[in-house]
Amino acid sequence: MWWFASPRIAFGEDALEFLESLEGKFFVVTDSNLVKSGVVEKAVKHLRGEIEIFDGVEPDPSFEIVEEAVAVARTFQPDYVVGIGGGSSLDVAKGVRIIYENPHLNPEEISPWTDVEEKGVKLILIPTASGSGSEASNAIVLTKKDEDRKIASVHPRIMADYAIVDPEMVKDLPERVAVFTGLDALSHAIDAYVSAWKNDFTDGICIQACKLLFTYLPRACKDRSDREAVERVHNAATLAGLAIGSSQAGLSHSLGHSIGGVLHIPHGFACGICLPYTTKYYSRFALEYYEELAYHLGIQAKKEEAVDELVKKIKTLLADLNVPDNLKGIFKEYGIGEEEFYDNLKRLVYNASTDNTVLTLADIPSEEDFEKLFIHAFEGKDVDF
Amino acid sequence: MPKFFSQEWIEKFVEAVNANEEYANAAKDWEGDFLFVVEPDEELEKPMYAYIDLYHGKAREGYVVEDPSQVNAAFEFRGKFSNWKKLLAGEIDPIKGLVTRKFTLKGNMAMVMRYAKAAKLLVECTKQVETEF
Ligand SMILES: [Fe+2]
């Protein structure tokens, strides 16, 4: 037995208008930049009722920020928790709803099998980036600050009641953010397609998300006024989110979470740049699935050649998006040198090899293989081991 | 072949855990003992209990428990006999088994969420013990 779950999704132009059909007290969870830039107002103006805005969400949000927001929610007593933002604000909003309804639960204790109470508070998630898919998944990722570690968990009560996927919310996304969030979405779609938990309910979704991203992501990144491309990429990110909710993220995320936790580069870059390497490596366990996925993306080659073509296709996409196809290149952009990478390699390997995403791999790579993967991805060497 | 949850079976399980380097590394800072519970169903009349002490990547000891009120383990993992059989046969994924409530796990979940890989490897060690049901 397994599950596929989804929020009710309002998508496309004017999806925000759906909010006008709801009434009550709305507790908005977001970050201060989105408030300042006016993005939050685009959604809030459709809310009918009393509104309280918590704008304290930080990048790589911590367990503590969830508790801070819950404390504010307690005095406000909302009917709805509304997450507006990229993955960070949406994840915090998810945490807020579940902890608000379960005051004695420590957010670190949320495991997939934790018993929780449902007290009727509804969760609405409105993404302002096209990437994390958090609006459509039952996953939450929070950072344990003192351990430099991201901890991912899933729980049915983490799933939103409503996801509002309106391209208006991402129209003014800076190009660079559009690039790395889009790469996150692609990593979800590919990881979920080859996961040990892949299933009939997510396979088609993954294929469609990949098709949309390969076709529209470069266009959407280059020109935010390209309405078709922006909307299709926005849909793709939500689709990929639905897929990981049931099939889970995989190896690109084991590496990606580890890199994000230790070296703090954007999550989508960390996962997306690792994808060519994790794809080649993991094809030893999931050759047939990669071959199938490659076929649906128009690749005629078979077996290992199909994998190589798929790797090439991902690298071409990275090049089209002006993203280096190796970690060394991206680290340089964030002031992280070779020495810092190698100094942290041991920790990167350990954190990746014990990341919760390894649980849904067909086989857990050895630490030795993780180390090689990091080095190959760093140096930009083809995986040949 | 040792009978499931007999003293001999538990010792073989402890051996399998201690021979597993991957487990040793993933659980290198783990401190916490386990009570495993097999709940009765059509095929099993009385519950069965086993205690395993896990510490820093090793299983220090393990034994059959007659009266569970005599042990105070930090974690308790329980499920029906038929589900244990499926788990050992690899027919139930341990995490899916927990999510779908075929098994329950009690204890400090913040700890478990940090050591999920170790927990999975621990369950996999049961598969390495040749078992008579
Ligand atoms: Fe991701």
Side-chain angles (χ1 to χ4, degrees):
Chain A
M1 167 168 125
W2 196 234
W3 288 309
F4 177 85
S6 171
R8 273 180 73 180
I9 301 171
F11 63 94
E13 274 180 33
D14 301 329
L16 285 164
E17 285 175 11
F18 167 77
L19 294 169
E20 293 169 15
S21 66
L22 308 172
E23 250 174 71
K25 292 174 82 178
F26 299 90
F27 184 65
V28 175
V29 177
T30 187
D31 69 65
S32 54
N33 288 329
L34 286 171
V35 174
K36 272 185 229 138
S37 64
V39 175
V40 170
E41 182 52 30
K42 285 183 185 182
V44 163
K45 70 177 184 204
H46 294 282
L47 296 175
R48 302 285 174 260
E50 212 181 315
I51 298 160
E52 165 97 37
I53 296 180
F54 175 87
D55 67 357
V57 177
E58 61 212 339
D60 296 331
S62 60
F63 288 98
E64 290 81 1
I65 206 77
V66 170
E67 306 214 71
E68 228 177 88
V70 169
V72 181
R74 288 236 180 283
T75 31
F76 181 65
Q77 301 195 324
D79 303 302
Y80 297 90
V81 173
V82 187
I84 304 177
S88 301
S89 291
L90 304 193
D91 280 6
V92 172
K94 288 168 164 182
V96 167
R97 196 261 296 259
I98 202 170
I99 300 300
Y100 179 75
E101 289 188 325
N102 295 271
H104 302 297
L105 184 63
N106 169 353
E108 288 184 50
E109 290 261 336
I110 302 171
S111 73
W113 45 88
T114 302
D115 287 316
V116 301
E117 279 187 60
E118 295 184 14
K119 293 178 183 158
V121 176
K122 300 267 189 252
L123 178 63
I124 305 170
L125 298 178
I126 310 174
T128 61
S130 309
S132 76
S134 182
E135 66 280 4
S137 85
N138 55 4
I140 182 168
V141 183
L142 293 168
T143 296
K144 185 75 186 143
K145 271 188 185 156
D146 47 353
E147 294 174 24
D148 269 350
R149 212 181 137 181
K150 291 193 170 194
I151 300 189
S153 188
V154 292
H155 193 285
R157 194 59 183 155
I158 286 171
M159 180 65 80
D161 298 279
Y162 304 102
I164 316 291
V165 187
D166 190 324
E168 178 62 28
M169 296 302 280
V170 292
K171 217 173 70 189
D172 302 316
L173 203 62
E175 182 182 340
R176 203 68 181 150
V177 182
V179 168
F180 66 69
T181 50
L183 288 174
D184 187 24
L186 183 68
S187 308
H188 295 156
I190 295 183
D191 275 4
Y193 195 79
V194 298
S195 158
W197 290 12
K198 80 194 247 73
N199 60 64
D200 292 340
F201 291 82
T202 59
D203 280 355
I205 289 177
C206 293
I207 291 168
Q208 181 64 4
C210 284
K211 275 190 185 171
L212 290 173
L213 289 163
F214 277 112
T215 308
Y216 293 105
L217 186 57
R219 264 172 62 184
C221 291
K222 277 187 194 99
D223 178 10
R224 295 309 282 174
S225 66
D226 184 337
R227 282 162 60 180
E228 184 193 13
V230 168
E231 182 173 339
R232 304 302 293 275
V233 168
H234 204 38
N235 290 345
T238 303
L239 286 172
L242 283 172
I244 50 169
S246 175
S247 291
Q248 312 302 313
L251 194 55
S252 78
H253 275 71
S254 317
L255 271 68
H257 286 156
S258 171
I259 293 167
V262 176
L263 297 168
H264 310 288
I265 70 162
H267 172 73
F269 280 144
C271 297
I273 293 169
C274 287
L275 255 185
Y277 308 92
T278 55
T279 296
K280 181 67 185 165
Y281 173 84
Y282 194 68
S283 66
R284 72 186 63 184
F285 303 117
L287 183 59
E288 185 195 332
Y289 302 149
Y290 282 115
E291 192 186 343
E292 210 172 72
L293 181 60
Y295 169 80
H296 287 292
L297 297 172
I299 293 168
Q300 301 298 324
K302 298 271 175 263
K303 306 259 180 225
E304 282 81 5
E305 275 174 33
V307 176
D308 293 340
E309 289 292 316
L310 182 59
V311 167
K312 229 188 268 169
K313 198 173 170 72
I314 300 167
K315 285 191 174 177
T316 305
L317 179 68
L318 291 171
D320 286 348
L321 298 170
N322 293 318
V323 176
D325 62 9
N326 56 77
L327 291 173
K328 192 187 274 181
I330 196 73
F331 286 166
K332 209 167 145 200
E333 292 179 25
Y334 288 88
I336 301 161
E338 189 150 351
E339 213 179 290
E340 192 174 349
F341 167 73
Y342 280 102
D343 282 351
N344 281 293
L345 184 56
K346 227 180 130 189
R347 195 146 60 108
L348 286 169
V349 168
Y350 187 75
N351 288 1
S353 77
T354 53
D355 189 81
N356 291 346
T357 51
V358 303
L359 297 177
T360 47
L361 299 177
D363 206 350
I364 303 177
S366 64
E367 285 198 25
E368 206 187 322
D369 281 0
F370 268 115
E371 187 175 315
K372 284 189 198 158
L373 261 175
F374 272 114
I375 293 173
H376 280 68
F378 181 75
E379 303 286 356
K381 283 197 297 196
D382 288 341
V383 169
D384 54 0
F385 56 91
Chain B
M1 224 189 280
K3 233 177 132 40
F4 186 50
F5 267 53
S6 63
Q7 182 61 31
E8 193 193 351
W9 186 89
I10 294 165
E11 279 164 20
K12 288 266 188 260
F13 172 65
V14 166
E15 263 172 44
V17 172
N18 287 334
N20 190 324
E21 269 178 50
E22 233 187 312
Y23 171 78
N25 199 19
K28 64 183 178 192
D29 301 312
W30 175 270
E31 294 175 11
D33 43 4
F34 264 85
L35 182 69
F36 290 111
V37 183
V38 186
E39 291 171 348
D41 57 12
E42 295 88 51
E43 289 179 63
L44 184 77
E45 257 177 37
K46 276 191 346 206
M48 299 194 286
Y49 306 93
Y51 171 87
I52 314 279
D53 182 16
L54 299 165
Y55 188 81
H56 291 189
K58 291 285 168 202
R60 290 196 294 201
E61 63 172 336
Y63 48 80
V64 177
V65 172
E66 294 298 336
D67 177 3
S69 68
Q70 297 302 303
V71 290
N72 188 16
F75 295 91
E76 186 188 282
F77 181 78
R78 62 161 67 223
K80 283 196 177 123
F81 184 60
S82 53
N83 287 332
W84 272 97
K85 273 169 63 176
K86 285 184 190 158
L87 185 73
L88 266 63
E91 289 164 19
I92 294 182
D93 175 284
I95 311 290
K96 278 188 183 171
L98 283 163
V99 178
T100 55
R101 309 294 164 121
K102 287 187 166 68
F103 291 91
T104 58
L105 176 62
K106 282 191 193 141
N108 179 344
M109 283 311 132
M111 272 281 276
V112 173
M113 291 313 288
R114 273 181 191 62
Y115 291 91
K117 179 188 172 187
K120 188 180 183 197
L121 293 172
L122 195 67
V123 172
E124 274 169 12
C125 286
T126 60
K127 290 190 213 161
Q128 287 161 24
V129 182
E130 279 195 81
T131 307
E132 188 198 324
F133 287 100

